[in-house]
Amino acid sequence: MITTTKDRDEAACPTHQPNPVLPRRPRFFLTDGGLETSLVFDAGLDLPEFATFPLLDTLEGRETLRRYYQQFLDIAVDADCGFVFETPTWRASSDWGRSSAMTQSICAA
């Protein structure tokens, strides 16, 4: 009989080991609310080809990303749940650079 979350998890995956990175295993995880869409429509940024990885190149860009993530981290802490970060680098590849207006030198950096 499954009576606890731990029992349920062990029944679903008997070889499951706790994640050593997390001090405890959260029951729920929060994700962010759409990085590129929020930065374009809420923050008014111009993101050519919807690419956010160039923000990593400047202090101002990194601060923009930090503020974006912080609002969701605050919610996760208040809700006592984990958080899954969306990466700002999903467009940072040579394949995407060749098929877009971004130069390959930007993608190679």
Side-chain angles (χ1 to χ4, degrees):
M1 173 179 218
I2 297 174
T3 58
T4 67
T5 303
K6 182 177 184 273
D7 293 339
R8 183 200 66 218
D9 291 348
E10 288 176 358
C13 184
T15 60
H16 174 79
Q17 296 296 316
N19 184 331
V21 176
L22 298 173
R24 61 174 183 74
R25 192 169 40 178
R27 184 168 177 201
F28 297 103
F29 286 84
L30 177 71
T31 62
D32 68 273
L35 176 61
E36 296 83 3
T37 303
S38 294
L39 294 179
V40 169
F41 294 104
D42 295 336
L45 295 182
D46 179 27
L47 299 177
E49 302 293 336
F50 235 45
T52 53
F53 71 89
L55 295 174
L56 297 170
D57 292 338
T58 67
L59 183 60
E60 181 182 355
R62 290 188 300 273
E63 181 61 22
T64 296
L65 291 169
R66 188 203 63 74
R67 282 191 312 270
Y68 170 79
Y69 289 122
Q70 189 63 56
Q71 64 186 330
F72 295 101
L73 288 170
D74 291 344
I75 294 168
V77 168
D78 289 346
D80 194 30
C81 65
F83 183 76
V84 178
F85 284 87
E86 175 186 359
T87 176
T89 58
W90 71 279
R91 292 256 170 131
S93 71
S94 57
D95 288 340
W96 183 256
R98 279 193 294 274
S99 66
S100 72
M102 288 181 278
T103 65
Q104 287 188 29
S105 63
I106 291 173
C107 289

